[in-house]
């Protein structure tokens, strides 16, 4: 059974850090691009970061560049999103999604989705 499970969300103060995990089962993440998407209350789900399969090219939305880092641990079949210097506007439900091959910006192209993990940045 193909499954993606996110974890690591929580409540953090502005300036704090979190590390989100996206663990896969039923397929090998190495062959897939893994994207992280954020859905804030009342807004559409938008792309935050992505790591492509094979060469592992990474992409970041302008709003998170320099603060978020995406990485892959093949031995654990898991992708991580390290989030530093968090801001209140980073608040939302974070989803990971898988697409065979290379990253694309259109969320409708992704084949598998996790259930999401809540990130709240507030003092």
């Amino acid at each position: 059974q193909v499954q993606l499970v996110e974890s690591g969300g929580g409540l953090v103060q502005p300036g704090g850090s979190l590390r989100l995990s996206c663990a896969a089962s039923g397929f090998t993440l190495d062959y897939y691009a893994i994207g992280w998407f954020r859905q804030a209350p009342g807004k559409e789900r938008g792309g935050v970061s992505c790591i492509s399969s094979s060469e592992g090219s990474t992409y970041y939305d302008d709003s998170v560049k320099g603060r978020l880092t995406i990485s892959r641990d093949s031995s654990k079949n898991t992708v991580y999103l390290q989030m530093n210097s968090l801001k209140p506007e980073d608040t939302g439900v974070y989803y990971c999604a898988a697409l065979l091959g290379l990253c694309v910006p259109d969320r409708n192209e992704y084949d598998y989705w996790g259930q999401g993990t809540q990130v709240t940045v507030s003092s």
Side-chain angles (χ1 to χ4, degrees), residues 48-118:
V48 173
S49 182
C50 188
I51 183 167
S52 286
S53 65
S54 64
E55 84 281 4
S57 298
T58 58
Y59 303 90
Y60 299 93
D61 184 78
D62 286 344
S63 65
V64 304
K65 282 181 180 176
R67 300 187 297 115
L68 273 57
T69 304
I70 192 170
S71 62
R72 185 195 302 268
D73 186 335
S74 299
S75 67
K76 296 183 179 180
N77 213 29
T78 298
V79 168
Y80 301 99
L81 186 67
Q82 179 66 43
M83 308 172 71
N84 298 329
S85 303
L86 283 163
K87 303 176 181 181
E89 51 264 44
D90 294 320
T91 295
V93 179
Y94 283 71
Y95 299 88
C96 66
L99 165 69
L100 194 64
L102 301 178
C103 292
V104 298
D106 185 354
R107 66 179 186 269
N108 296 310
E109 297 293 327
Y110 288 77
D111 300 310
Y112 308 118
W113 288 83
Q115 83 291 347
T117 185
Q118 176 71 45

Side-chain angles (χ1 to χ4, degrees), residues 22-59:
C22 174
S25 59
F27 68 105
T28 302
L29 276 183
D30 282 355
Y31 301 117
Y32 287 78
I34 303 299
W36 283 97
F37 295 80
R38 176 179 64 218
Q39 187 161 21
K43 295 187 177 181
E44 289 191 354
R45 192 176 302 186
V48 173
S49 182
C50 188
I51 183 167
S52 286
S53 65
S54 64
E55 84 281 4
S57 298
T58 58
Y59 303 90

